[in-house]
Amino acid sequence: MEELLEQIRACTVCKKHLPLGANPIVAANYFSKIIIIGQAPGRIVHTTGIPWNDKSGDNLRNWLDVDKETFYNPTIFALIPMGFCYPGTGKSGDLLPRPECAPLWHEKLLQAMPNVKLILLLGKTAQNYYLHTNTKKNLTTTVQQFESYLPKYFPLPHPSPTNNIWHAKNKWFSITVLPQLKNKIAAIIKS
């Protein structure tokens, strides 16, 4: 696993497409129990080198009901983005993750973690990649029907503050989905 993580962190496959250069961000361990697959690091994460070290990470830790010490324990959580480097900013926020990363590295990472009990898929890019044609008509419906993807996957919206409008329109998420997510996470951590 350490050799694989070193290879990922040294990757420069899409360097020419990255405004701030390559700085692959990933955290994983052979013993990881839960994988969080997000989009791509934002500018703050790129600068600090710490995954989910921003407002999105604060929101995510609230959703999971875990503190930073637990969240950053790689024997519990593997933090794997769809694109490992900051892709830059577009008209409506950060660009989509680079398409090279997931096909190049994800399968190798998953094979190196035999103890995984749950994979959280944050955002449409991760859901499309892992659920393929099993996604519903849109992200909202996919998240509403999260139980149909269990026990392997748990689809979620991205926890970015830019999604506040989505959360305001979808109050059911906090009432129905988050309590079940918190229970699942707590049970896996205790196992």
Side-chain angles (χ1 to χ4, degrees), residues 62-129:
N62 274 343
W63 290 2
L64 304 175
D65 197 24
V66 297
D67 59 20
K68 281 188 173 185
E69 182 180 350
T70 304
F71 184 78
Y72 288 114
N73 179 343
T75 64
I76 299 172
F77 289 103
L79 309 173
I80 302 171
M82 288 298 295
F84 291 88
C85 296
Y86 171 64
T89 304
K91 292 178 183 175
S92 60
D94 288 347
L95 296 173
L96 290 174
R98 293 293 315 160
E100 298 89 348
C101 298
L104 187 60
W105 299 113
H106 278 216
E107 188 59 35
K108 293 173 186 173
L109 281 164
L110 294 177
Q111 288 178 3
M113 293 182 286
N115 301 301
V116 171
K117 306 215 181 323
L118 183 64
I119 300 173
L120 307 182
L121 301 173
L122 278 61
K124 194 149 181 61
T125 303
Q127 291 165 18
N128 287 345
Y129 188 83

Side-chain angles (χ1 to χ4, degrees), residues 51-183:
W52 296 99
N53 184 31
D54 54 16
K55 296 279 187 202
S56 296
D58 293 341
N59 290 341
L60 178 57
R61 286 184 286 279
N62 274 343
W63 290 2
L64 304 175
D65 197 24
V66 297
D67 59 20
K68 281 188 173 185
E69 182 180 350
T70 304
F71 184 78
Y72 288 114
N73 179 343
T75 64
I76 299 172
F77 289 103
L79 309 173
I80 302 171
M82 288 298 295
F84 291 88
C85 296
Y86 171 64
T89 304
K91 292 178 183 175
S92 60
D94 288 347
L95 296 173
L96 290 174
R98 293 293 315 160
E100 298 89 348
C101 298
L104 187 60
W105 299 113
H106 278 216
E107 188 59 35
K108 293 173 186 173
L109 281 164
L110 294 177
Q111 288 178 3
M113 293 182 286
N115 301 301
V116 171
K117 306 215 181 323
L118 183 64
I119 300 173
L120 307 182
L121 301 173
L122 278 61
K124 194 149 181 61
T125 303
Q127 291 165 18
N128 287 345
Y129 188 83
Y130 279 91
L131 303 178
H132 309 290
T133 57
N134 292 328
T135 57
K136 307 304 179 201
K137 66 178 181 175
N138 57 37
L139 178 133
T140 300
T141 308
T142 299
V143 173
Q144 281 176 322
Q145 297 180 22
F146 71 93
E147 290 173 303
S148 67
Y149 301 104
L150 293 171
K152 185 173 184 176
Y153 298 114
F154 202 124
L156 297 164
H158 194 279
S160 169
T162 61
N163 285 343
N164 286 343
I165 294 170
W166 186 91
H167 291 286
K169 289 181 181 176
N170 297 283
K171 302 262 186 226
W172 54 266
F173 178 72
S174 295
I175 297 165
T176 307
V177 178
L178 288 185
Q180 292 192 56
L181 175 65
K182 290 175 183 183
N183 288 340

Side-chain angles (χ1 to χ4, degrees), residues 23-26 44-51 53:
N23 183 22
I25 308 291
V26 62
I44 294 171
V45 171
H46 173 87
T47 303
T48 64
I50 301 169
N53 184 31

